Structures are given as C-alpha cells and as structure tokens.
Amino acid sequence: MREILPALSGWYAAGAPFGLATVVGVSRSAPRDPGAAMAVGPGDEVVGSVSGGCVEGAVFELAQEVVASGGARLETFGYSDEDAFAVGLTCGGEITVLVRPVTPASDPAFGEVARSVAEGVPVTVATVINGPAPRGATLAVWDATVAGALGTEGLDAAVGADARGELAQGATGVRHYGPRGERREDAVSVFLHSFAPPPRMLVFGAIDYAASVARIGDFLGYRVTVCDARPAFATAKRFPPGVEVVVDWPHRYLHGTSTDERTVICVLTHDPKFDVPLLEEALRRPAAYIGAMGSRRTHDDRAKRLAEAGLTPAELSRLRSPVGLDLGARTPEEVAVSVAAEIVALRWGGSGTPLTATAGAIHRPGLPPAPRG
C-alpha cells in the first residue's frame, strides 16, 4: 500500500474514482501478506499487486465492477485441482481480497490517511469486510483522533480502541465484533491495517533472562535487538529467530541508535561498568519504558552512581527498577512475563491490580472524534 499511495493520492485529489483491492486474509503459502494492495484507476491504469500475477486479472475486473456499482466485494482465491483453468494461486495457498470503491464522497478521510503515511505519522485504517455492517466502511485511527464511521457508535468505539492497540505495535490483522462492538461475538469482521513500523525493544545483557525477554518481546510485536559487549554470550544461536544480536558496548550502541516514544529498553547487564553509562544514555533520550534488573541493593547503588553522574530526579524517576511487576517470578520465563506485564501496564495506564479487585470498565474508553472543518 505504501508504494502505490502516491498514485492513489493523485487520483483522489483529482476526484477520480478508483477501485482499491486489499489482501485481508491469507492461508498456507500465499504469495502476499495481508495489507498488500492493488488499485485500478482512471483509464484502467493499474498499480500494485495482490498475488504477484496469479489473480490480478480477476481482481482488475472486480475493481471495475465496484467502481461502477459503488458497492464493495469480498472474494477468496485459491488453487483448484478440479479445474486447471480456474482463477487461483499456483502456489497452493489462498488469499481473501476486499475490493472497494474510493472517492472523496465515500471515503472523506482517505486524503488525510495518505498524507499521514507519506509523512511517517502512524495511523491505522479499520475496514468492515463482512457481517451486518456496511462492507467497505472505514474508520481511520490516529494517536489521539479518529475519522469515519463503521455503522454504530459501539462498533466505532470498540474498533477504535483495538486499532489504537494495533497502532502501538504496528500490527495488521482481522478482528471480530458484534454489530454494536460486542467483543465476545464474531458477526462483524473488521480488517485493521496499521501504517507504522513495529516498536523496538532493546535488550542489553545477553544472559538467560535476555533470551526469555527477547522471546516475549517478539511475541508482543516488537522488533527486538539484544546487545552485549561479550562475543561469547552475544551469539545468534542463543536467541529466537528474527532477534538481532549485536556485539558492542551497550552505551556505545545505544548512543548510535535511534529511539522514540514507543521504544522499550531492558537493561539486564548486572554490572555497573555496563549499566551505569548505559542508563545515563537511556534516561536522557525518548523511550516508552526503561527497566533495569537487579536487587534493591543493586538499585540503590546504581541510583547513587547515576545521580553522581549528573542525572536529575526527573530523569531518574523514569527508571523502572527493580524491573517487572511483583508476580513472585523465579525462572527466566516467569521474569520475562513480569517484565512484559509491566510494559503493557505502563503503556495503557494499567495498575497491575487483579481485575477481580477492581470495578468498572476493563478497557479504556474509545478515542475522541477527529476535529471537523
């Protein structure tokens, strides 16, 4: 979608209707991931791809039909053993494609979404793909605003809250709801397409606990990097596939690495010569979470050293140490759950209190509407 947005923005600005096809579901060895897109615009110009060539002809015709009719279509393409000439995927996989018409009247937020993507502003677009709600209806969700509607206020509120969670992780996928946003029903299927890179998790100290923290970070959708100055410990085979492993002095690596308000930093080095200069660097840069492992005695000594290094009380207050919530964790895996729980609680303002001891709404209220005019 990112690659074809310049063309789509031009058509949209000119008021030219176009058919937008988006992969919303895949199975087995499908050639493209959810979010892959193709569009058919004025003069039957085609941009993008949903399958690498297998079903583009059929999708081209669908896009023409939805522009003419004004209604969205949902189609599934797979391999047919019975009919060798049927439209399908030769790889044996299956893709589900939503094809919808886009005009300034049908999707007034599209231009703003395109600008956000071009400027690197995170946004999630929620689109109804099935159920008792207008197929093709969209809700655009930014960090603090929304635009569009999916059919009911309850559905908008539930989807808006979930889209914000997907946005925080840069994730894309299908969620299911009741017609009024009921979370335990699956009558309405909504595709949440996030335009944001996944947040980073930086784990310093290649110890056994680091492997477990890296694994749960990967599970939560972070792009995980483990850094340690000791080559004997910082080896890829000690960590899950997909986790980047770097051999460098932690503070030097962090100094040369970009972080933002979504970045998670976990300091597991357990050694003042590593963690003090590292935390001095970390506490003076943007990050969503900065946690350091160690006993209370270790924390007190570390805090004293950091204060002597010139960190202010406000900077020191950002440090979560000892790291994690009080779960009684013992094993590396249990400690990783404790750390992950604290990260999630801090992100969403959770208290860490058992839900049985609380009252009222479990989830935070939905997002406010986007400003008009």
Side-chain angles (χ1 to χ4, degrees), residues 46-71:
V46 178
V47 294
S49 170
V50 293
S51 74
C54 296
V55 302
E56 267 66 10
V59 173
F60 174 82
E61 294 178 359
L62 281 172
Q64 291 178 314
E65 291 174 13
V66 301
V67 169
S69 68

Side-chain angles (χ1 to χ4, degrees), residues 223-310:
R223 180 163 66 93
V224 182
T225 298
V226 176
C227 176
D228 197 301
R230 302 164 296 180
F233 292 92
T235 60
K237 66 182 181 181
R238 300 184 65 230
F239 297 94
V243 171
E244 179 187 29
V245 181
V246 174
V247 179
D248 200 351
W249 279 80
H251 72 282
R252 184 168 60 193
Y253 174 77
L254 183 57
H255 181 74
T257 300
S258 297
T259 63
D260 60 26
E261 287 73 13
R262 300 184 302 153
T263 303
V264 165
I265 299 173
C266 297
V267 178
L268 313 179
T269 46
H270 262 315
D271 188 331
K273 71 174 178 290
F274 291 124
D275 57 19
V276 170
L278 170 60
L279 287 170
E280 186 178 352
E281 174 71 32
L283 293 169
R284 288 173 169 159
R285 59 166 54 227
Y289 175 91
I290 303 170
M293 179 176 282
S295 66
R296 298 194 187 280
R297 180 178 178 181
T298 298
H299 167 73
D300 291 341
D301 176 70
R302 189 162 47 207
K304 179 181 177 182
R305 291 172 183 263
L306 289 169
E308 291 172 349

Side-chain angles (χ1 to χ4, degrees), residues 6-19:
L8 306 191
S9 297
W11 297 341
Y12 187 84
F18 59 89

Side-chain angles (χ1 to χ4, degrees), residues 141-143 160-170 175 220 222 262 288 340-352 362-365 367:
V141 181
W142 288 268
D143 214 19
D162 287 347
R164 190 182 184 198
E166 299 295 287
L167 185 60
Q169 295 299 324
R175 294 287 187 97
L220 290 175
Y222 288 93
R262 300 184 302 153
E342 185 175 41
I343 291 169
V344 172
L346 188 63
R347 180 195 303 153
W348 300 116
S351 66
I362 294 174
H363 299 283
R364 296 176 65 186
L367 296 174

Side-chain angles (χ1 to χ4, degrees), residues 182-198:
E182 299 91 339
R183 295 181 181 276
R184 289 182 292 177
E185 298 184 22
D186 58 2
V188 181
S189 299
V190 179
F191 180 64
L192 303 181
H193 190 180
S194 295
F195 295 92

